[in-house]
Amino acid sequence: MALPHLTLASRALAAVLSAGALLAPLASCSSQPAGDHAVSPASSVSSASSASSSSSMGSGETSPSARSPERLGVTVLDTAPLPPDTFTQGLEVDPDGNLLIGTGLNGKSRLLRLSPGAEAPQEETSLESSFFGEGITQTDAGIWQLTWKSGAAFLRDSATFEELDRASYDGEGWGLCNAGSELILSDGSAKLRHLDPKTFAELGPRTEVTLDGSPVDNLNELECVDGAVYANVWMSEDILRIDPESGAVTAVIDTANLNHSPSTDPNAVLNGIARIPGTDEFWITGKLWDELYRVRFE
């Protein structure tokens, strides 16, 4: 059976009523790990009341974590088909307007470049079958591509996809984005890591992401835009906009009105955010979705 898509508010209520109720069906839905990431029942998305997180700073100001986040939706501007069975893990737009897509699953993980709406990629490369591909991001040095549990990141030539270098990291890799002076990585927890764009070495302390004062885990695919981080929340229809310094969620974006046809595959969840350069528009999609949506967050 397919799990229902949930907004953050409804997930918070569900967590209070029955913390394990959403995860039990998931384990029996697929031979793959839950979705593509195995998590414990304790790692559900939560949202505490704003009253619990309000704090005074003496001058009458409130800290970033205490401010109520904006509540936004999506305006769909256009759609485009995606090649079938695209298990989207990372989504980017290159300088020429082409899509870069990193896909997952052992033996099926690839990096693709294709024009929006095209049936076949212009370039592609496959990972070795032992690697489960995850998020991607573009840098001056090339394209970094994560793996889920292998602790390996691949640096690829931006034009040819030839492997240029390989780096290692601890734990899991989920999402990745380029914030300019650093890369930001999600690992399925409520923490964001800060990495050197050239060496992939971790820089400084990790940042805990909070919504109304409570940690938000299951952070998945990332997109860095103008000093903010946009993050998919695994198994949710919400996208979060995050201040990467404080970790505070500054906006919750509800994508439920995409009117995407539900899938019988529980893995087919929202995952993929890519800002279209020079605009305030984004391409968004999901794992195994057959459509790509060009949207504005409003």
Side-chain angles (χ1 to χ4, degrees):
M1 60 179 280
L3 290 180
H5 295 303
L6 302 172
T7 63
L8 284 174
S10 61
R11 287 174 62 82
L13 179 60
V16 173
L17 295 176
S18 179
L22 292 177
L23 292 169
L26 179 61
S28 63
C29 286
S30 172
S31 59
Q32 290 291 334
D36 65 331
H37 309 296
V39 295
S40 66
S43 60
S44 60
V45 175
S46 63
S47 174
S49 66
S50 57
S52 68
S53 62
S54 298
S55 62
S56 172
M57 298 180 69
S59 63
E61 296 181 357
T62 55
S63 66
S65 62
R67 297 169 191 157
S68 296
E70 289 185 271
R71 301 287 169 167
L72 305 175
V74 294
T75 299
V76 178
L77 306 172
D78 199 5
T79 62
L82 277 175
D85 302 321
T86 303
F87 199 91
T88 302
Q89 299 286 72
L91 185 66
E92 294 268 313
V93 179
D94 74 10
D96 296 323
N98 297 308
L99 299 170
L100 297 171
I101 304 176
T103 73
L105 301 177
N106 293 100
K108 296 182 179 180
S109 296
R110 299 179 293 164
L111 178 63
L112 314 172
R113 187 198 322 276
L114 70 161
S115 298
E119 294 183 2
Q122 301 167 12
E123 284 92 23
E124 68 176 297
T125 190
S126 297
L127 277 67
E128 298 170 28
S129 60
S130 60
F131 293 113
F132 191 121
E134 287 283 349
I136 62 172
T137 198
Q138 302 171 86
T139 70
D140 291 340
I143 301 168
W144 282 106
Q145 183 174 19
L146 296 177
T147 56
W148 178 22
K149 290 187 172 182
S150 301
F154 301 93
L155 179 64
R156 301 189 181 280
D157 183 90
S158 297
T160 66
F161 292 172
E162 176 186 359
E163 184 179 334
L164 302 176
D165 199 2
R166 194 176 293 197
S168 60
Y169 54 91
D170 294 330
E172 298 183 5
W174 286 37
L176 189 67
C177 69
N178 184 359
S181 61
E182 64 180 12
L183 304 182
I184 298 179
L185 180 148
S186 64
D187 59 13
S189 71
K191 299 287 184 72
L192 296 177
R193 307 186 194 186
H194 306 266
L195 310 175
D196 186 286
K198 295 182 179 179
T199 66
F200 225 71
E202 191 162 354
L203 307 171
R206 301 176 184 183
T207 302
E208 184 174 60
V209 175
T210 58
L211 173 61
D212 292 333
S214 291
V216 182
D217 57 13
N218 288 344
L219 300 175
N220 204 354
E221 214 267 321
L222 306 179
E223 179 78 350
C224 293
V225 180
D226 298 332
V229 175
Y230 290 78
N232 282 120
V233 181
W234 181 53
M235 300 306 297
S236 168
E237 289 191 350
D238 290 316
I239 293 171
L240 305 182
R241 188 183 69 207
I242 301 163
D243 177 347
E245 293 188 6
S246 68
V249 173
T250 61
V252 178
I253 303 160
D254 183 1
T255 71
N257 70 328
L258 289 180
N259 198 28
H260 176 70
S261 299
S263 171
T264 57
D265 191 325
N267 296 304
V269 296
L270 182 75
N271 199 52
I273 320 166
R275 202 267 289 270
I276 300 172
T279 75
D280 61 352
E281 301 168 6
F282 293 76
W283 287 112
I284 61 177
T285 190
K287 308 174 195 286
L288 300 174
W289 287 21
D290 54 6
E291 277 191 309
L292 189 74
Y293 295 83
R294 185 165 63 88
V295 303
R296 187 179 289 119
F297 301 145
E298 297 178 315

